[in-house]
């Protein structure tokens, strides 16, 4: 009998997280701008560019927030309380991009499709390091 892997060793594969914040209407874009400003003022995270044009695998316009595992216990509950009705995809970066988006992901609000998941590699050795925003600008 071999022991199952410990939960801690599985979790250790997660190098960072992404929150993808989606918007589709002008009202949601304005809400997303407000949320982005609040995030920039409060958290040491990495804010991605505005993606007003849909870029795969994402099914709607969005921006990305990359954050370190240490930020999870503060940033994620804060998002829960402040996302209003925006749809958010939260996924780990565990070296399995396809599973991280399709299987390991958590959705806040509406669940959107992941477009062309076959374009996501099954495994990745890229250690995505988060460069926290130390001079926040929204
Ligand atoms: Zn992502």
């Amino acid at each position: 009998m071999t022991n199952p892997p410990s939960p801690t060793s599985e979790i250790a594969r997660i190098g960072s997280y992404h929150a993808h914040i989606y918007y589709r209407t002008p009202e949601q874009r304005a809400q997303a701008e407000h949320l982005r400003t609040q995030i920039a003022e409060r958290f040491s995270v990495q804010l991605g560019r505005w993606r007003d044009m849909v870029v795969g695998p994402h099914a709607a316009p969005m921006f990305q927030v990359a954050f370190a595992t240490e930020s999870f216990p503060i940033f994620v509950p804060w998002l829960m309380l402040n996302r209003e009705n925006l749809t958010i995809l939260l996924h780990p970066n565990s070296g399995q991009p396809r599973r991280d988006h399709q299987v390991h992901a958590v959705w806040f609000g509406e669940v959107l499709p992941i477009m062309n998941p076959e374009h996501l590699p099954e495994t990745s050795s890229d250690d995505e390091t988060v460069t926290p925003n130390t001079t926040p600008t929204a």
Side-chain angles (χ1 to χ4, degrees):
M1 287 275 287
T2 54
N3 292 323
S6 77
T8 312
S9 72
E10 285 197 278
I11 294 167
R13 295 203 317 254
I14 299 175
S16 63
Y17 293 91
H18 287 172
H20 294 273
I21 296 165
Y22 295 91
Y23 51 90
R24 282 185 282 201
T25 65
E27 292 75 22
Q28 288 174 337
R29 175 66 149 87
Q31 271 188 294
E33 286 171 20
H34 180 60
L35 191 62
R36 185 181 172 95
T37 303
Q38 290 181 298
I39 292 168
E41 288 167 351
R42 287 165 176 76
F43 296 100
S44 192
V45 297
Q46 187 178 314
L47 289 167
R49 292 205 302 273
W50 288 101
R51 299 289 192 174
D52 288 327
M53 305 297 286
V54 171
V55 285
H58 304 284
M62 59 89 198
F63 70 87
Q64 177 197 78
V65 185
F67 58 99
T69 56
E70 306 84 73
S71 300
F72 189 103
I74 296 172
F75 181 55
V76 173
W78 182 89
L79 266 186
M80 290 173 177
L81 298 178
N82 291 281
R83 73 176 179 86
E84 302 298 335
N85 61 355
L86 293 176
T87 292
I88 299 176
L89 164 66
L90 172 66
H91 71 82
N93 295 307
S94 77
Q96 302 171 282
R98 195 177 301 173
R99 286 181 66 78
D100 286 344
H101 286 79
Q102 288 197 293
V103 183
H104 302 152
V106 176
W107 288 89
F108 297 178
E110 188 186 352
V111 177
L112 301 180
I114 295 295
M115 311 296 283
N116 304 312
E118 68 277 10
H119 293 174
L120 292 167
E122 282 185 39
T123 60
S124 160
S125 56
D126 297 353
D127 251 355
E128 185 170 339
T129 48
V130 175
T131 311
N133 185 13
T134 51
T135 51
T137 52

